[in-house]
Amino acid sequence: MDLSDTPAEEEFRARLREWLAKTLPGLPPQPSPDDWPGRRAYDLGWQRRLHDAGYAAVHWDASPAIRLIFLEETEKAGAPYVGANFVGLLHAGPTIAAEGTDGQRARWLPPILRGEEVWCQGFSEPDAGSDLAALRTRAWRDGDAYVVTGSKMWTSHAEVADWCELLVRTDPDAPKHRGITWLAMPMDAPGITVRPLRTLAGSAEFAEVFLDEVRVPAANRVGDENDGWRVTMVTLSFERGTAFAGEVVACRRVLGELAGAARENGRWDDPALRRRLGRLHAEFRALWRLTQWNVSAAQASGGVPGAGGSVFKLRYSHARQELYDAAAEVLGADCLDLDRPWTLDRLSSLSYTIAAGTSQIQHGIIAERILGLPKGR
Ligand SMILES: Cc1cc2nc3c(=O)[nH]c(=O)nc-3n(C[C@H](O)[C@H](O)[C@H](O)COP(=O)(O)OP(=O)(O)OC[C@H]3O[C@@H](n4cnc5c(N)ncnc54)[C@H](O)[C@@H]3O)c2cc1C
């Protein structure tokens, strides 16, 4: 694989850099982690700027090389994170692009790209997390709608979302993977109650969602009725395979800042700390190479990432925790100060080995689907 830029890629990189250098200084400050309406407006505003400058669809339409240049340059420049646009841009949108009808693509994709609508993910339930196919939220057909009753758990951004990629059980008598359907549910439909949950890092980032006879138009079904598990695998492969790619560059930036802070506060003199930071540097470099490989492999196989995403997800989520543990060592006692930027990141890094599928589940996928080991013991 040749990883150097072609002249066209070089030109794209230079143009993007110039635009970022011009645009970023004029951005308003980020709202506080607790101000979800403010964060929604901020994140949509950033997406709108990208759209107006012609960069909105880079995540979807561009070649793998251009996509990676976009992630690399925006993160290096410290551009805002996708934030509340995470689900729409990085896995609901790509799923609709891959599995939706022309009408569905025309209805849902442009507002995501223009920064007008936020999506959330209603997959997990109180007894259906790792064993997602155990979900019990029921939906039955009534005329031209599905009527949905049940509850969802850990729904990130539910409080500010316009749409939810929702998994429901449409055939309770079928084997558990075969009776599931993937629906796009409007979050303002009557019968939806959202109850925010506060995380260890202090943010009400996700919520419980209760559904009481919510009517969802049957036209909002993506894929066939009872074929939702197959569509879900597409969503999860985007979520694990490519959605975290930009964060690797951000981690590399933080690592550079940590080295700078260690030099300033004298901890750089400790050879064990320097070795630790050096090892992390190599780890994130390798993860970026793996990202390049995953994105290219996904493009070559029709655009949907494969099980290789689990290798990335497993290693990335651990490396992120190790990075913020190293940050605590650099900060010393200051790491207990919640106003320090890395302190909250350290607390939230703990969730990475759970969110988007736990490490144990990624181990299982790698063992069975990549290494071909037998199922079970
Ligand atoms: C920050 C964050 C954001 C999230 N956002 C969303 C969201 O927006 N939408 C959404 O739908 N969900 C979301 N989730 C939920 C997430 O997908 C689930 O928490 C995750 O899938 C694990 O499920 P669980 O919590 O039910 O744990 P469980 O499935 O109960 O697992 C408990 C433990 O048992 C282990 N385990 C379970 N089964 C096996 C097995 N077969 N082999 C080995 N070990 C096993 C697990 O690895 C884990 O350590 C989010 C979670 C977090 C932390």
Side-chain angles (χ1 to χ4, degrees):
M1 191 175 18
D2 179 8
L3 299 175
S4 51
D5 288 353
T6 63
E9 289 158 9
E10 243 172 55
E11 199 251 302
F12 174 81
R13 192 187 286 278
R15 200 161 24 92
L16 176 60
R17 253 187 212 168
E18 195 186 319
W19 181 78
L20 287 167
K22 208 168 58 197
T23 308
L24 294 182
L27 285 188
Q30 301 246 13
S32 85
D34 252 354
D35 174 10
W36 271 95
R39 284 173 71 180
R40 175 191 152 101
Y42 187 90
D43 296 341
L44 287 176
W46 172 241
Q47 181 58 25
R48 212 163 304 130
R49 276 176 192 253
L50 289 173
H51 175 270
D52 293 349
Y55 295 116
V58 173
H59 291 295
W60 300 350
D61 292 345
S63 69
I66 291 287
R67 221 182 304 175
L68 292 169
I69 289 171
F70 175 80
L71 291 174
E72 203 174 8
E73 292 300 327
T74 45
E75 286 296 346
K76 264 190 193 161
Y81 182 59
V82 282
N85 292 312
F86 186 92
V87 172
L89 268 177
L90 301 181
H91 52 91
T95 302
I96 292 163
E99 296 291 331
T101 62
D102 286 347
Q104 291 173 338
R105 283 194 274 270
R107 164 61 190 90
W108 288 312
L109 302 188
I112 294 175
L113 293 178
R114 287 196 298 258
E116 291 166 358
E117 289 181 348
V118 166
W119 283 66
C120 64
Q121 181 190 44
F123 282 15
S124 304
E125 296 183 9
D127 292 316
S130 300
D131 186 10
L132 182 56
L135 63 93
R136 289 198 300 225
T137 291
R138 271 286 276 133
W140 59 94
R141 189 71 184 256
D142 179 30
D144 59 1
Y146 287 98
V147 181
V148 182
T149 290
S151 68
K152 294 289 169 179
M153 191 68 175
W154 317 125
T155 314
S156 306
H157 315 135
E159 230 187 324
V160 293
D162 304 287
W163 292 94
C164 177
E165 51 174 14
L166 184 75
L167 294 186
V168 292
R169 182 158 303 285
T170 31
D171 183 354
D173 300 322
K176 68 179 186 178
H177 293 88
R178 303 232 179 96
I180 293 171
T181 298
W182 199 110
L183 298 176
M185 177 176 74
M187 289 298 284
D188 59 356
I192 302 178
T193 307
V194 175
R195 193 184 298 159
L197 296 166
R198 190 160 294 278
T199 69
L200 179 67
S203 152
E205 177 181 311
F206 45 37
E208 294 173 284
V209 178
F210 300 94
L211 307 164
D212 182 14
E213 303 210 342
V214 180
R215 291 184 75 82
V216 179
N220 290 14
R221 188 187 70 223
V222 174
D224 289 338
E225 185 170 296
N226 299 325
D227 191 29
W229 188 253
R230 191 188 55 77
V231 183
T232 302
M233 289 304 107
V234 173
T235 310
L236 292 183
S237 69
F238 282 116
E239 188 175 4
R240 292 166 189 168
T242 46
F244 296 106
E247 294 184 21
V248 173
V249 188
C251 286
R252 291 178 79 177
R253 182 159 44 83
V254 170
L255 197 54
E257 289 165 9
L258 278 185
R263 282 195 183 93
E264 267 175 34
N265 71 11
R267 287 177 200 264
W268 189 250
D269 297 336
D270 175 359
L273 176 72
R274 288 204 305 274
R275 256 199 312 279
R276 191 173 182 185
L277 297 182
R279 202 182 55 70
L280 278 165
H281 177 75
E283 179 94 29
F284 281 109
R285 248 181 89 119
L287 276 166
W288 182 244
R289 289 284 186 254
L290 186 58
T291 303
Q292 291 176 311
W293 191 88
N294 276 342
V295 171
S296 299
Q299 200 74 8
S301 63
V304 178
S310 287
V311 178
F312 171 81
K313 164 68 175 68
L314 179 67
R315 205 41 242 166
Y316 168 66
S317 49
H318 284 280
R320 189 180 171 102
Q321 287 173 357
E322 288 165 18
L323 172 71
Y324 286 107
D325 274 352
E329 195 180 332
V330 171
L331 286 175
D334 284 349
C335 82
L336 299 175
D337 177 354
L338 289 180
D339 290 332
R340 288 284 184 147
W342 298 321
T343 308
L344 290 179
D345 289 327
R346 182 172 180 229
L347 294 178
S348 72
S349 78
L350 298 176
S351 70
Y352 273 67
T353 43
I354 301 172
T358 66
S359 292
Q360 290 88 339
I361 292 299
Q362 308 313 317
H363 276 294
I365 293 172
I366 293 164
E368 287 167 22
R369 294 202 217 143
I370 299 182
L371 301 177
L373 298 176
K375 262 181 185 271
R377 284 160 190 268

